[in-house]
Amino acid sequence: MNLLLIEDNQHLQRIFYEKFRREGFNVTLADDGRQGLQCVAEVRPDAILLDIMMPNMFGFEVLTRLRADPALSGIPAFVLSNRASSSDVQHALALGARQFFPKGISALEDIARQIRATCGFKKVLICTNSLTLAEPIVTALAHPRLLCPVVTLLAEIVSAANRGTPEVIVLDARVPNAVTLLQQLKTHPSAKSIPVIAIGNPGQPLSRADEFIDSARLVSDLRPAVMKRLGLQEIAAATPSNTPTPATA
């Protein structure tokens, strides 16, 4: 999922960029409203997240121009701003913003969840212990409607599942302590209801996994299994621009 982030504060921009990448988004950055409009026309993102108070052009003007352009008006725009009085919120929504998130009190994980829900995207959390092992899993799952963040720090898997609330977890059963990790996922109050698809070698099924995929059949079996659980339609082929980039959490 391609997200355009329009934010003039460089420090916040870096924080937001890393956070959203870890949630599986491909992030394009713009430093002000005018540059943001240029990026919208060039990139055609799946969603826009913008500030209100920016140099060169306020976020309200960006929303106004987006709404006035038939080619761009369908792109969902969300506002994240310190300027969050009741009148500001209502003005942004009246100009076409899908949601308004006040800075400082809105968790970025919740914002990411709201954006993907509004835009019809699903999150599949990939749990393994290296980007080398993650790469073929991400490639097998390539689909325009899937966000596939990767967790390679095994100690962070349960907290990552709890924090980002994915629709499906893909667990590499070839990593050390896979049985313990699965048990932790299936007993954690916030993660236990999330379906877990385990990938492993023949004869290595995990009894508590909701489904097991033979690693030798990863390419042919994984995406259909995930798509079925998510209720998404399969596609003939995923385009390279929509292939998620592995991002560690």
Side-chain angles (χ1 to χ4, degrees):
M1 178 178 182
N2 295 312
L3 175 69
L4 172 61
L5 174 62
I6 310 176
E7 169 62 61
D8 64 301
N9 185 305
Q10 298 297 307
H11 175 66
L12 292 179
Q13 191 184 84
R14 288 192 295 271
I15 293 173
F16 296 165
Y17 177 80
E18 290 301 326
K19 286 278 190 178
F20 283 108
R21 278 194 72 251
R22 290 180 182 182
E23 285 294 309
F25 293 82
N26 296 318
V27 184
T28 300
L29 299 175
D31 295 330
D32 58 47
R34 186 175 300 163
Q35 186 183 61
L37 279 178
Q38 294 173 348
C39 289
V40 174
E42 294 170 2
V43 178
R44 298 298 174 98
D46 297 300
I48 302 164
L49 181 63
L50 74 157
D51 195 4
I52 292 297
M53 299 177 67
M54 296 183 291
N56 296 321
M57 186 183 295
F58 268 28
F60 292 135
E61 180 65 19
V62 174
L63 291 171
T64 299
R65 297 196 182 194
L66 288 173
R67 189 176 185 182
D69 189 333
L72 306 177
S73 60
I75 301 175
F78 303 81
V79 174
L80 175 61
S81 180
N82 281 322
R83 182 167 166 170
S85 69
S86 177
S87 60
D88 290 326
V89 173
Q90 292 305 314
H91 188 35
L93 296 177
L95 291 175
R98 299 295 182 92
Q99 283 184 273
F100 193 110
F101 304 104
K103 281 183 179 176
I105 63 174
S106 301
L108 291 186
E109 291 84 3
D110 293 334
I111 296 173
R113 188 183 305 116
Q114 292 291 336
I115 290 175
R116 73 174 193 261
T118 300
C119 299
F121 286 76
K122 303 293 185 180
K123 178 179 175 180
V124 180
L125 183 66
I126 299 171
C127 307
T128 184
N129 64 351
S130 76
L131 290 178
T132 300
L133 289 174
E135 185 174 356
I137 301 174
V138 172
T139 301
L141 288 172
H143 185 281
R145 289 288 161 185
L146 294 184
L147 282 76
C148 300
V150 176
V151 181
T152 58
L153 298 175
L154 301 184
E156 295 292 326
I157 286 178
V158 176
S159 61
N162 177 45
R163 184 175 64 245
T165 318
E167 279 78 20
V168 173
I169 296 172
V170 174
L171 174 64
D172 188 347
R174 298 164 293 183
V175 303
N177 301 321
V179 173
T180 302
L181 289 171
L182 182 58
Q183 182 178 2
Q184 291 174 345
L185 287 169
K186 286 302 183 182
T187 55
H188 193 281
S190 300
K192 63 182 180 181
S193 62
I194 303 172
V196 177
I197 298 178
I199 301 171
N201 298 318
Q204 192 197 5
L206 303 182
S207 59
R208 300 196 68 172
D210 296 276
E211 195 164 346
F212 184 85
I213 301 291
D214 187 331
S215 58
R217 298 185 59 82
L218 174 68
V219 174
S220 61
D221 291 1
L222 180 58
R223 190 169 73 184
V226 169
M227 299 292 282
K228 183 178 180 181
R229 288 189 174 274
L230 295 176
L232 291 176
Q233 293 294 319
E234 188 53 277
I235 57 173
T239 58
S241 61
N242 286 319
T243 302
T245 301
T248 58

